[in-house]
């Protein structure tokens, strides 16, 4: 190729190179435009979600009051030992084991018997957020709190803090009525996935009684704390401007009168004791394993008292009930203390239904109050098959009875 031909080829190569460079830059700018303009918001949101972790902290639940404002269920501060799981995972296995062993020894020494295995179970429990401290022991003593703070270098990732927990002011009084709370189950969590105030694993929820029926009112709005994390997901700092405070739940006022409630419960226990003490002439002794009492206001039907026996202490559930205690409460041999017989028991109404039978007869014009019936101790239905004769208790005869007298002596024959 001569010099002229080589000179002509040179501008051609430059032109081709220029086209390639322009195409590359065009592709680059197109990609940047897509990432920063078309998908900018999406990627910003993804980056924020990778940088931030939102942790919910439960708000104090509302109180439960009786009709006069007497507090039945309140909140109290519980001193809780916690482990920062994110920092705990950074420790060597031997350091983790040594620290938990020391913590178990000190918990036991200061009045909260605990084993290393129990601490491991709590730290590994997947129900707790990785970014929030995991409670490993509740209601620990103030002495332990001081000891851990003074020996902080021996307990890395461990803190002792105060948290609000339920306080049942009258102990077992009205236990079945107010109910108890416990950690939310997977089924409950799934059922409340669309709740406007979402639940997370480890949250406590009403399991029975008023605690369950008025869960939406008693539960407050949880606090939200935003943690900034590094590339390995480890918390770096709390992002104050993205955090929100907790809002306590609403109080719930009942129609219950705690004085009548206590009186009804005491009478019920006395009646059961008296029934067990009575020995029938024939047959086995009375078991009298349980019973219930409901007291209504005759003016408006308001429930003034609702007692059930045997009973239990809802405070047993505050920091998580033990398997042994739960087995006791649900054992038929113990007459199911956890059951509220006033609403869960199935009992024949007995003579109390005579009021409704009598009212129905008067309302329908079938009987007048002064009409007399000769009670011979039984009543026989005419033109019937099977059981046709119905008797009073003990076949006792009451003679001539009108409606008032029949109510007074509880004449079965009259109402049959």
């Amino acid at each position: 190729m001569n010099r002229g031909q080589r000179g002509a080829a040179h501008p051609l190569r430059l032109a081709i190179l220029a086209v390639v460079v322009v195409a590359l830059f065009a592709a680059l700018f197109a990609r940047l435009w897509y990432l920063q303009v078309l998908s900018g918001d999406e990627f910003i949101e993804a980056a924020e979600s990778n940088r931030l972790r939102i942790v919910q902290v439960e708000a104090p639940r509302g109180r439960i009051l009786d009709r006069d404002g007497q507090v039945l269920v309140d909140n109290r501060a519980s001193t809780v030992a916690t482990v920062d799981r994110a920092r705990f995972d950074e420790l060597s296995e031997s350091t983790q084991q040594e620290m938990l062993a020391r913590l178990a020894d000190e918990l036991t020494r200061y009045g909260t018997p605990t084993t290393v295995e129990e601490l491991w179970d709590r730290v590994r429990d997947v129900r707790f957020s990785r970014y929030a401290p995991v409670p490993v022991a509740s209601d620990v003593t103030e002495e332990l709190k001081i000891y851990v703070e003074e020996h902080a270098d021996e307990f890395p990732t461990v803190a002792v803090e105060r948290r609000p927990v339920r306080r049942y002011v009258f102990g077992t009084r009205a236990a079945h009525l107010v109910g108890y709370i416990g950690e939310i189950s997977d089924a409950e969590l799934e059922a409340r996935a669309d709740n406007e105030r979402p639940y997370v694993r480890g949250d406590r929820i009403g399991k029975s009684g008023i605690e369950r029926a008025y869960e939406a009112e008693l539960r407050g709005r949880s606090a939200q704390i935003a943690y900034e994390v590094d590339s390995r997901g480890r918390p770096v700092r709390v992002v104050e401007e993205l955090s929100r405070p907790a809002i306590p739940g609403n109080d719930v006022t009942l129609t219950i009168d705690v004085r009548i409630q206590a009186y009804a419960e005491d009478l019920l226990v006395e009646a059961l004791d008296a029934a067990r003490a009575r020995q029938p002439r024939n047959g086995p002794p009375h078991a009298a394993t349980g019973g219930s009492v409901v007291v209504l206001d005759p003016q408006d039907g308001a429930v003034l008292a609702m007692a059930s026996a045997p009973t239990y202490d809802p405070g047993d559930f505050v920091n998580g009930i033990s398997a042994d205690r739960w087995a006791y409460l649900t054992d038929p041999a113990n007459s199911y203390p956890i059951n509220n017989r006033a609403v869960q028991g199935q009992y024949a109404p007995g003579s109390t239904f005579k009021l409704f039978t009598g009212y129905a007869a008067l309302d329908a014009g079938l009987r007048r109050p002064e009409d007399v019936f000769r009670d011979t101790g039984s009543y026989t239905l005419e033109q019937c098959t099977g059981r046709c004769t119905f008797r009073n208790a003990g076949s006792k005869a009451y003679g001539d009875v009108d409606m008032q007298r029949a109510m007074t002596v509880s004449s079965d024959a009259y109402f049959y």
Side-chain angles (χ1 to χ4, degrees):
M1 181 181 295
N2 57 35
R3 184 178 298 179
Q5 290 175 324
R6 287 197 300 269
H10 183 68
L12 178 62
R13 287 198 296 270
L14 289 178
I16 293 174
L17 179 61
V19 171
V20 172
V21 171
V22 170
L24 291 175
F25 273 102
L28 177 61
F29 286 131
R31 183 60 176 169
L32 289 175
W33 182 78
Y34 170 78
L35 293 175
Q36 297 182 12
V37 179
L38 285 184
S39 303
D41 293 340
E42 177 183 347
F43 285 106
I44 288 173
E45 183 178 347
E48 284 295 308
S49 65
N50 288 331
R51 185 178 71 90
L52 299 176
R53 295 293 185 272
I54 306 298
V55 175
Q56 291 199 157
V57 180
E58 279 188 279
R61 291 173 71 85
R63 302 175 302 169
I64 300 177
L65 316 173
D66 84 340
R67 66 190 298 120
D68 297 321
Q70 179 71 48
V71 178
L72 303 177
V73 184
D74 202 350
N75 298 299
R76 64 176 176 85
S78 175
T79 306
V80 180
T82 66
V83 171
D84 187 335
R85 188 154 53 185
R87 293 172 53 207
F88 180 82
D89 291 341
E90 296 177 359
L91 303 176
S92 66
E93 186 174 341
S94 60
T95 303
Q96 292 175 347
Q97 186 69 31
E98 291 171 3
M99 188 199 73
L100 292 184
R102 282 195 299 269
L103 182 58
D105 290 341
E106 297 306 326
L107 283 168
T108 301
R109 185 162 74 94
Y110 284 103
T112 308
T114 309
T115 65
V116 177
E117 289 73 20
E118 289 172 338
L119 294 179
W120 272 114
D121 289 342
R122 296 293 285 183
V123 171
R124 291 169 176 162
D125 195 331
V126 297
R127 292 175 299 176
F128 296 104
S129 169
R130 180 188 175 192
Y131 305 101
V134 177
V136 294
S138 301
D139 285 334
V140 302
T141 62
E142 191 68 21
E143 289 77 11
L144 175 73
K145 183 178 187 297
I146 295 172
Y147 182 88
V148 170
E149 290 173 349
E150 290 179 345
H151 299 79
D153 57 325
E154 298 179 19
F155 300 97
T157 80
V158 175
V160 181
E161 57 190 43
R162 290 181 177 85
R163 295 185 176 183
V165 297
R166 259 343 204 181
R167 180 171 75 97
Y168 297 90
V169 178
F170 292 95
T172 61
R173 295 293 192 199
H176 296 93
L177 181 67
V178 299
Y180 64 92
I181 64 173
E183 286 189 9
I184 191 167
S185 66
D186 290 340
E188 291 168 331
L189 192 61
E190 183 178 355
R192 290 164 174 79
D194 297 330
N195 195 291
E196 61 180 15
R197 288 177 292 174
Y199 291 80
V200 297
R201 293 185 185 277
D203 277 355
R204 289 164 295 181
I205 190 172
K207 296 287 188 176
S208 70
I210 298 298
E211 293 278 25
R212 177 177 179 178
Y214 289 91
E215 168 67 18
E217 289 74 20
L218 291 168
R219 181 175 184 256
R221 191 189 73 174
S222 299
Q224 284 190 348
I225 301 177
Y227 289 92
E228 183 177 348
V229 298
D230 60 19
S231 59
R232 296 175 60 184
R234 297 173 299 186
V236 175
R237 67 183 180 93
V238 175
V239 184
E240 297 292 346
E241 65 271 15
L242 296 180
S243 301
R244 75 178 187 192
I247 298 178
N250 297 317
D251 292 346
V252 171
T253 300
L254 310 179
T255 61
I256 294 296
D257 186 318
V258 69
R259 295 167 300 177
I260 300 177
Q261 177 72 29
Y263 186 56
E265 291 183 12
D266 291 342
L267 285 182
L268 176 58
V269 172
E270 291 175 10
L272 291 173
D273 289 341
R276 285 190 290 268
R278 289 195 297 269
Q279 295 294 325
R281 294 179 180 178
N282 300 312
H286 297 300
T289 56
S292 65
V293 173
V294 177
V295 181
L296 304 179
D297 186 332
Q299 301 300 321
D300 58 10
V303 179
L304 301 177
M306 181 184 289
S308 179
T311 188
Y312 70 98
D313 187 351
D316 290 342
F317 293 86
V318 168
N319 293 314
I321 192 167
S322 67
D324 290 342
R325 184 60 180 165
W326 177 253
Y328 175 86
L329 294 178
T330 55
D331 189 343
N334 301 318
S335 302
Y336 297 107
I338 199 71
N339 285 0
N340 183 358
R341 284 172 164 74
V343 296
Q344 292 177 282
Q346 297 181 356
Y347 306 103
S351 294
T352 60
F353 203 75
K354 291 172 182 173
L355 297 170
F356 300 95
T357 305
Y359 179 80
L362 293 173
D363 187 63
L366 300 177
R367 181 63 55 88
R368 295 176 301 171
E370 63 271 17
D371 289 346
V372 174
F373 169 77
R374 176 167 290 279
D375 182 354
T376 60
S378 64
Y379 178 78
T380 301
L381 288 175
E382 297 179 358
Q383 299 178 348
C384 86
T385 57
R387 182 188 177 193
C388 299
T389 299
F390 300 87
R391 304 181 183 279
N392 292 339
S395 297
K396 186 173 182 179
Y398 294 104
D400 292 340
V401 294
D402 58 12
M403 183 169 287
Q404 181 176 357
R405 175 66 178 166
M407 290 281 189
T408 303
V409 299
S410 192
S411 168
D412 291 349
Y414 177 93
F415 290 97
Y416 284 131

